[in-house]
């Protein structure tokens, strides 16, 4: 009988069926995981959409970076000599824009090794670095990682340094934009020219000059590594102010250069041993032309405004660098030579020096910080002082001993009876100079000032100009701005006027006393004197100028007429209103500047042509493209001031001054006859002048006090200013052949003297001031009408050689 189906076959196996509890747990776990995944996906999509929206909103607001394709950073105004020697620079940022192909490989390797070794491989963004920076802003980690060079360019050129996510987004977007627009070399070029490296230096070329005093192309591995350490923290790793920290970072960068294969182990070892010469003071190699640089700055600013300091303009002047240095040195020596003859005014300051050695060094440093060196006039603090020896300390720790003749300029300060403010004692801040023999001499900073200017008389180009003893001490440009009385150096222009009135070098004029009573002067009587108080009687006009006789000049001006002479001197560039038409004009009682005098004497030097002084030869942009250029004038384009024959005879008279007269030292020292000029010393020796020339260069020296006062009873233009002129000319005329003058038409020589042809046979003025004169000059006779009382009071006491 068939068996019936088992009931158990229709029921599920109890061992395999899920229990309600287990099924519920798995269900909820799955549900939770599903929700978490969904939320994560939704969050990621939301974040992506948010970022995309942020990028979409931010991208149109990014700055236009197309101008970086033609990178133009702020570049300073630079002033150069005619040969290209740097004279000065003006601008907030010191920068030398250097194309990437002119940046040495060692400098690029050093920068890449420490800043971005994979610069040429990545697309502009280091994603790990970005994440680290983001976490750092959340406070999760300490290190932010390093930005790439492209990111640094984006930040430095366009963005602030704030650390926010918004700024980071902009930085990333700009980085992509830069990488798309520019090549890697263009980006690296911008970085290496734009980055700030301390000491007012922007870019590695400027930093190389600032820290090492050398062009970037000449840096060594060790120097490149030192410079490459600056971008991270220009102050902290400054080799001048923080040499120890700078050294540590330099060594680290050398190791990185070796690790990245930029240098060999041997090169790395050698670089670590190299002794770097860091520049810690002002550039002593730069040409001293501070007054000229300031003149150029003012001229360029007038034309370009504030853009003058950011466009990278290069101004090439007419200055000759060697002649400028000669002028600077000659004037300073002349002033310091004068200072040696002055009474010692005492130390500049007194400080209390402690006994502990280290404390003494600190006190000396503090004292001299406020009394810096002035060129070769150095500052020091006295440690010991006696009548026979002074021992002093310099800021660099060097000891200075002064003995013998070196003590003479300050004898009054070493006397036992010296007052406290003059007494040289321990703690006194003094000045010292090194003598040609290598010994030390005590001195003091001068109170007197001076000026020197030299022109090419053929064109008016300024070849050298020094406006004072020291620009930092006194920025007033005495060469171009100081209106002073020229004294006897003005006499040649009166003599030039006389030649047109029939006077000749042979005209006899009486060097006898003159007296003008109150009825003539309109006030107090006037009795002018010769400088030496002596009167030599009748003499030729030639001798009268050579000896600088005041009575001769006054009688000549009487004969010519002050009004006629006033009009005549304007031909040389003088202002008529600054030279009143009175007899005092014969003694140089008017007002001139040294630059104006050099321009006027150029008329004699070039054969009678009027020149205008000029300084700027060429202006270029930062790429060397010429913006403007001056064409030097020639005699064909210059206006004639006086006839060639007038200039020729005046040359003959002025040559006599340098041969046998008050400036005879000129030809005796320089050993050449083609030198011409005139000394000048105003009343009471207030101003000392020498104005002179050789046919290729005209130069003028002036020495005096800013507030006019007596230079000393024995101080003259021949003793003070002529030596400066001679010292300059020794350099300026080196290798220049002697030039013989060409006799122009209308001039003849009779009996060894030169005459205008029409006056060669006694038809000119034979004599003046003699009772038996052969003829009288036009307008000769009594003195001119009396000046107004106020004018008379102004000029009454201004008469002296």
């Amino acid at each position: 009988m068939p068996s019936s189906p088992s009931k158990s076959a229709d029921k599920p196996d109890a061992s395999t069926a899920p229990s309600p509890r287990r099924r519920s747990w798995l269900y909820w776990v799955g549900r939770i995981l599903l929700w978490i995944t969904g939320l994560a996906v939704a969050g990621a999509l939301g974040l992506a959409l948010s970022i995309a929206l942020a990028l979409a909103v931010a991208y149109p607001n990014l700055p236009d970076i197309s101008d970086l394709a033609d990178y133009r950073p702020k570049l300073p105004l630079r002033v150069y000599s005619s040969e290209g020697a740097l004279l000065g620079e003006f601008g907030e940022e010191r920068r030398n824009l250097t194309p990437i192909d002119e940046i040495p490989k060692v400098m690029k390797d050093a920068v890449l090794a420490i800043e971005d070794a994979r610069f040429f491989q990545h697309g502009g963004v280091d994603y790990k670095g970005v994440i680290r920076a983001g976490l750092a802003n959340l406070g999760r980690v300490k290190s932010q990682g390093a930005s790439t060079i492209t990111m640094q360019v984006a930040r430095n050129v366009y963005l602030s340094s704030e650390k926010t996510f918004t700024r980071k987004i902009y930085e990333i977007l700009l980085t992509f934009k830069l990488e798309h627009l520019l090549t890697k070399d263009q980006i690296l070029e911008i970085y290496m020219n734009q980055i700030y490296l301390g000491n007012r230096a922007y870019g590695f070329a400027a930093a190389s000059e600032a820290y090492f005093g050398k062009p970037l192309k000449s840096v060594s591995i060790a120097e490149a590594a030192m410079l490459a350490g600056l971008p991270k923290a220009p102050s902290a790793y400054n080799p001048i102010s923080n040499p120890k920290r700078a050294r540590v970072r330099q060594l680290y960068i050398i190791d990185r250069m070796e690790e990245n294969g930029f240098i060999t182990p041997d090169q790395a070892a050698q670089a670590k041993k190299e002794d770097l010469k860091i520049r810690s003071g002002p550039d002593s190699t730069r040409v001293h032309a501070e007054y000229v640089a300031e003149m150029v700055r003012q001229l360029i600013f007038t034309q370009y405004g504030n853009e003058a300091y950011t466009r990278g303009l290069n101004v090439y002047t007419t200055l000759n660098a060697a002649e400028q240095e000669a002028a600077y040195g000659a004037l300073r020596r002349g002033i310091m030579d004068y200072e040696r003859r002055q009474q010692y005014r005492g130390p500049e300051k007194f400080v209390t020096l402690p006994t502990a050695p280290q404390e003494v060094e600190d006190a000396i440093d503090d004292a001299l910080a406020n009394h810096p060196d002035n060129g070769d006039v150095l500052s020091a603090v006295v440690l010991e002082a006696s009548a026979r020896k002074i021992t002093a300390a310099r800021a660099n720790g060097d000891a200075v001993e002064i003995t013998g003749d070196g003590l003479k300029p300050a004898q009054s300060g070493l006397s036992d009876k010296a007052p406290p403010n003059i007494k040289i004692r321990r703690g006194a801040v003094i000045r010292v100079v090194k003598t040609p023999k290598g010994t030390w001499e005590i001195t003091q900073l001068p109170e007197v000032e001076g000026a020197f200017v030299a022109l090419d008389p053929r064109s008016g180009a300024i070849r050298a100009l020094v406006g004072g003893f020291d620009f930092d001490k006194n920025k007033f440009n005495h060469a171009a701005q100081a209106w002073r009385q020229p004294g006897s150096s003005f006499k040649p222009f009166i003599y030039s006027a006389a030649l047109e009135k029939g006077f000749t070098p042979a005209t006899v004029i009486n060097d006898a006393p003159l007296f003008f009573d109150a009825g003539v002067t309109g006030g107090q009587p006037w009795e002018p004197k010769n400088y030496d108080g002596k009167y030599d009687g009748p003499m030729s006009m030639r001798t009268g100028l050579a000896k600088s006789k005041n009575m001769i000049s006054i009688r000549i001006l009487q004969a010519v007429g002050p009004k006629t002479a006033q009009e005549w001197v304007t031909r040389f560039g003088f202002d008529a209103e600054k030279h009143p038409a009175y007899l005092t004009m014969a003694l140089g009682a008017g007002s001139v500047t040294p630059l104006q005098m050099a321009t006027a004497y150029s008329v004699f030097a070039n054969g009678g042509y009027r020149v205008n002084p000029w300084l700027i030869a060429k202006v270029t942009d930062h790429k060397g493209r010429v913006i403007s250029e001056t064409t030097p004038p020639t005699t064909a384009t210059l206006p004639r001031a006086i006839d060639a024959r007038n200039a020729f005879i005046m040359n003959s008279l002025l040559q006599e001054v340098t041969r046998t007269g008050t400036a005879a030292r000129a030809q005796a020292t320089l050993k050449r006859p083609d030198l011409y000029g005139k000394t000048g010393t105003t009343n009471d020796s207030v101003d000392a002048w020498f104005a002179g020339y050789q046919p290729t260069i005209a130069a003028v020296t002036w020495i005096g006090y800013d507030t006019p006062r007596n230079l000393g009873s024995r101080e003259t233009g021949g003793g003070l200013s002529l030596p400066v002129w001679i010292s300059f000319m020794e350099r300026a005329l080196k290798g220049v052949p002697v030039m013989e003058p060409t006799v122009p038409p209308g001039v003849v020589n009779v009996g060894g003297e030169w005459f205008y042809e029409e006056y060669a046979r006694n038809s000119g003025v034979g004599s003046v001031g003699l009772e038996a004169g052969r003829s009288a000059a036009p307008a000769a006779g009594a003195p001119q009408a009396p000046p107004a009382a106020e004018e008379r009071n102004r000029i009454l006491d201004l008469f002296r050689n």
Side-chain angles (χ1 to χ4, degrees), residues 295-353:
M295 290 173 70
V296 171
R297 183 197 69 78
Q298 293 179 20
L299 291 169
I300 296 298
F301 180 80
T302 299
Q303 185 172 358
Y304 293 96
N306 288 326
E307 281 192 359
Y309 308 131
T310 60
R311 286 185 57 177
L313 298 176
N314 299 306
V315 182
Y316 292 88
T317 67
T318 56
L319 242 65
N320 178 284
E323 291 176 8
Q324 177 65 25
E325 279 297 281
Y328 174 82
L331 182 63
R332 281 180 66 95
R333 283 192 300 273
I335 289 176
M336 290 307 298
D337 286 344
Y338 169 78
E339 195 61 43
R340 288 186 183 92
R341 300 191 291 272
Q342 307 312 302
Q343 185 173 1
Y344 188 62
R345 296 184 293 274
E348 295 179 14
K349 184 181 180 181
F350 295 95
V351 297
T352 302
L353 295 181

Side-chain angles (χ1 to χ4, degrees), residues 351 353 359-369 380-381 383 393-395:
V351 297
L353 295 181
E359 293 179 1
V360 170
E361 291 182 10
D362 293 341
I364 291 173
D365 289 343
D366 291 342
L368 297 185
V381 175
L383 300 178
R394 296 265 297 114

Side-chain angles (χ1 to χ4, degrees), residues 107 192 266 333 372 462 485 558 571 573 686 696:
M107 189 69 252
M192 300 197 76
D266 288 342
R333 283 192 300 273
I462 298 175
Q485 294 173 346
Q558 277 185 293
R571 293 169 174 256
V686 169
T696 63

Side-chain angles (χ1 to χ4, degrees), residues 172-219:
I172 293 171
L173 290 175
L174 277 172
T175 297
F176 289 144
K177 208 169 183 180
L178 286 170
E179 289 276 348
H180 175 72
L181 178 68
L182 306 176
T183 66
K184 288 286 188 179
D185 276 346
Q186 285 177 307
I187 294 170
L188 187 59
E189 178 181 293
I190 294 170
Y191 175 82
M192 300 197 76
N193 282 282
Q194 179 72 22
I195 195 75
Y196 177 62
L197 300 171
N199 216 31
R200 282 184 53 231
Y202 287 78
F204 288 93
S208 179
E209 294 283 356
Y211 293 111
F212 301 120
K214 63 194 301 186
L216 184 61
K217 64 182 180 181
S218 303
V219 296

Side-chain angles (χ1 to χ4, degrees), residues 569-644:
V569 301
T570 61
R571 293 169 174 256
F572 297 87
F574 294 115
D575 305 317
E577 64 273 14
K578 291 187 180 296
H579 300 274
Y582 305 121
L583 290 180
T584 52
M585 192 194 315
L587 307 182
S591 297
V592 301
T593 68
L595 181 58
Q596 198 177 47
M597 286 292 277
T599 304
Y601 271 78
S602 293
V603 176
F604 295 139
N606 65 28
Y609 295 95
R610 168 80 177 274
V611 296
N612 289 315
W614 55 287
L615 182 59
I616 297 177
K618 181 173 65 175
V619 179
T620 70
D621 64 13
H622 70 283
K623 292 188 176 180
R625 294 174 296 206
V626 177
I627 297 175
S628 64
E629 191 166 9
T630 301
T631 301
T634 63
T635 53
T637 60
L638 290 173
R640 180 167 283 286
I642 59 177
D643 286 344

